[in-house]
Amino acid sequence: MAACSYTCQVNYCCSQKPVIPKFKDLGASVSFNLKPFLTNLEHFSLLMDVPKVILKETIFKLLDNFVDLTFEFVDQPLSPSQSNFAPVEEIGEAVRVTIVQGKIPDDFPEGVYIRNGSNPLFGGLKSTKSIFGKSSHLWVEGEGMLHALYFTKEKGNKWNILYKNKYVETDTFNMEKNLKKPGFIPNIEGDSLAVLVASLLNVMRFGVLHKYISNTNVFEHSKKYYSIAENHMPQEINIQTLETLGNWTVNGAWSQPFTAHPKKIPDTGELVTMGINPLKPYLQLGVISTDGKQMVHKVDVKLNRCIICHEIGVTKRYNVILDFPLTIDLNRLIIGEQLIKYDKDGYARIGIMPHYGDANSIKWFEIEPCCVFHIINCFEDNDEQRIYQEDLLNLEG
Ligand SMILES: [Fe+2]
């Protein structure tokens, strides 16, 4: 088996933010610490006969006022090399493309070309200043916007090309849009205390640590289309209207981060995905049925550290897992350091497992410590099954 890949150091790929998945347990921890306060408020509300929904709104408003008074949102500058990533407006109805540079090949198929990308709300990414210090986003953290080109042929083989764009309306996009102002406080970079307080306030107000940005990839499965960033579930989209149809949970079986680059198994058409978490299970892998209705296999790979694994490989019989020393350490959030660390002395390995295997059936190959984000290709060279089985027997022996 050959897995062709290119390596990079700590630099993130140009289209991808470092994933920090939904920190459910951090949220749970925050809720735990606030429990006495919230319980007292609930008792108070019962005494006063205040409906829970009003109490919740009141707490949100109190916290929101605190953020307004304490945090100043300021435009985050784009460097010249990033200016292509300045946001554009939603244009509403599709518009005709009248200028085409070059020639569209005669045999080019009719259809839709669709992609997504970062397009921050409210005119651009915002940094914050506060008594706690400064915090900011990474430049890739803007909300996902879909861009679609529709190619149809008119009489006389003349091309008719339309362009349309639209935001992916994730849960957090809708929260901020309803607020009509920046709500989430950036918490990826900045002063230690500011990052910590930003994280706590995001969880307390919105229930999640950071925004779901859905800006990395668009993929198809079972004739349905999805927009995705790896820090959340995919959003199903209508590729004609570009409307967001909701989160894809595979009928409730997968409500966690989902790689932006899932892969189809040759022959069966099943979809292999994986999701990383900052707490155990650090990496889970799933196989989705060809019709997209069932999670037919789901397994904890049982890593002993939280890694940033951006992509998996899939061949006819195997999944290829990358375990590299780019890690997320929640303790760093508590002490206010960078959450993500590249450990030069750490180990790196490539794991090969059958599609329906488990942690015990992975064969690991240790390699020089490095960091790989994307896999260009994976394929089998005919004798992998024999080698894989012999090696497993040796391990068991
Ligand atoms: Fe990527």
Side-chain angles (χ1 to χ4, degrees):
M1 176 175 300
C4 305
S5 59
Y6 68 86
T7 61
C8 61
Q9 294 296 315
V10 189
N11 302 328
Y12 306 119
C13 76
C14 59
S15 64
Q16 185 55 45
K17 66 166 283 189
V19 69
I20 302 175
K22 180 176 176 181
F23 290 179
K24 281 181 186 167
D25 294 278
L26 178 66
S29 163
V30 171
S31 299
F32 177 77
N33 292 326
L34 289 173
K35 212 171 176 181
F37 170 71
L38 295 174
T39 306
N40 283 338
L41 268 178
E42 277 182 21
H43 287 165
F44 174 74
S45 71
L46 285 174
L47 286 173
M48 299 293 290
D49 201 22
V50 179
K52 267 191 175 178
V53 65
I54 294 180
L55 180 70
K56 207 173 167 186
E57 282 175 12
T58 305
I59 293 172
F60 181 87
K61 279 179 186 167
L62 281 170
L63 290 169
D64 205 42
N65 285 338
F66 174 75
V67 171
D68 284 347
L69 289 169
T70 315
F71 287 82
E72 182 189 356
F73 286 83
V74 292
D75 285 330
Q76 196 167 310
L78 285 170
S79 71
S81 64
Q82 297 162 359
S83 57
N84 260 355
F85 298 90
V88 296
E89 296 291 321
E90 279 186 335
I91 60 170
E93 292 300 310
V95 295
R96 185 184 285 258
V97 176
T98 54
I99 301 172
V100 177
Q101 290 186 343
K103 183 178 183 300
I104 301 171
D106 292 335
D107 58 352
F108 192 72
E110 291 183 294
V112 185
Y113 169 78
I114 186 164
R115 60 166 287 257
N116 60 5
S118 165
N119 199 77
L121 269 173
F122 309 114
L125 291 173
K126 310 292 179 196
S127 300
T128 56
K129 296 181 202 167
S130 72
I131 52 173
F132 308 108
K134 294 178 182 175
S135 71
S136 57
H137 292 288
L138 290 182
W139 62 274
V140 289
E141 281 187 277
E143 281 74 12
M145 178 176 271
L146 298 165
H147 302 267
L149 284 168
Y150 301 90
F151 294 84
T152 51
K153 270 185 180 170
E154 296 175 329
K155 281 181 185 171
N157 264 358
K158 196 179 169 211
W159 282 105
N160 179 35
I161 307 168
L162 298 175
Y163 167 78
K164 182 176 171 62
N165 65 12
K166 196 169 189 345
Y167 275 111
V168 185
E169 298 182 353
T170 65
D171 301 336
T172 59
F173 172 91
N174 289 327
M175 288 174 192
E176 275 203 321
K177 199 176 174 193
N178 290 338
L179 268 183
K180 300 186 174 63
K181 63 180 181 180
F184 281 83
I185 307 169
N187 59 354
I188 294 292
E189 292 185 319
D191 296 318
S192 303
L193 187 58
V195 168
L196 179 60
V197 173
S199 303
L200 291 173
L201 284 167
N202 287 345
V203 172
M204 288 161 72
R205 289 183 302 150
F206 301 110
V208 292
L209 192 61
H210 56 79
K211 296 192 269 194
Y212 302 141
I213 47 182
S214 200
N215 67 11
T216 310
N217 193 17
V218 174
F219 67 91
E220 175 271 344
H221 187 60
S222 188
K223 298 205 165 37
K224 291 187 175 179
Y225 302 88
Y226 303 94
S227 175
I228 177 76
E230 64 191 349
N231 66 344
H232 192 38
M233 294 169 279
Q235 284 71 53
E236 187 181 347
I237 54 170
N238 179 323
I239 59 169
Q240 295 302 326
T241 64
L242 302 189
E243 285 172 302
T244 303
L245 305 177
N247 295 327
W248 185 35
T249 64
V250 197
N251 281 323
W254 192 274
S255 54
Q256 59 183 311
F258 188 114
T259 176
H261 303 296
K263 297 287 187 311
K264 285 195 183 179
I265 299 176
D267 298 344
T268 72
E270 292 163 310
L271 190 72
V272 182
T273 187
M274 55 102 185
I276 57 173
N277 281 295
L279 296 167
K280 284 185 177 179
Y282 294 126
L283 192 151
Q284 285 186 292
L285 190 140
V287 181
I288 299 168
S289 60
T290 310
D291 64 9
K293 292 180 179 168
Q294 285 181 61
M295 183 68 65
V296 292
H297 187 63
K298 186 175 176 183
V299 66
D300 173 4
V301 174
K302 294 191 177 165
L303 299 183
N304 58 10
R305 60 182 178 179
C306 172
I307 57 164
I308 294 182
C309 181
H310 180 68
E311 184 165 22
I312 45 171
V314 166
T315 70
K316 208 168 177 178
R317 286 171 292 200
Y318 301 102
N319 303 321
V320 181
I321 301 162
L322 309 177
D323 180 9
F324 294 115
L326 187 59
T327 59
I328 301 172
D329 184 350
L330 263 189
N331 292 324
R332 292 174 175 274
L333 179 68
I334 306 303
I335 59 174
E337 288 184 0
Q338 291 281 348
L339 279 167
I340 298 160
K341 185 190 172 205
Y342 178 71
D343 183 2
K344 285 181 186 163
D345 301 321
Y347 58 88
R349 34 183 211 165
I350 296 173
I352 309 295
M353 71 181 283
H355 292 313
Y356 304 105
D358 58 22
N360 296 325
S361 60
I362 302 174
K363 173 159 177 50
W364 291 104
F365 297 87
E366 292 218 6
I367 59 168
E368 286 278 311
C370 63
C371 180
V372 173
F373 255 62
H374 288 113
I375 299 171
I376 293 175
N377 196 7
C378 289
F379 56 90
E380 296 179 24
D381 256 354
N382 297 326
D383 59 350
E384 282 79 6
Q385 196 166 22
R386 178 182 58 79
I387 295 168
Y388 174 83
Q389 284 171 346
E390 282 177 4
D391 280 336
L392 271 193
L393 286 173
N394 287 339
L395 284 175
E396 285 166 7

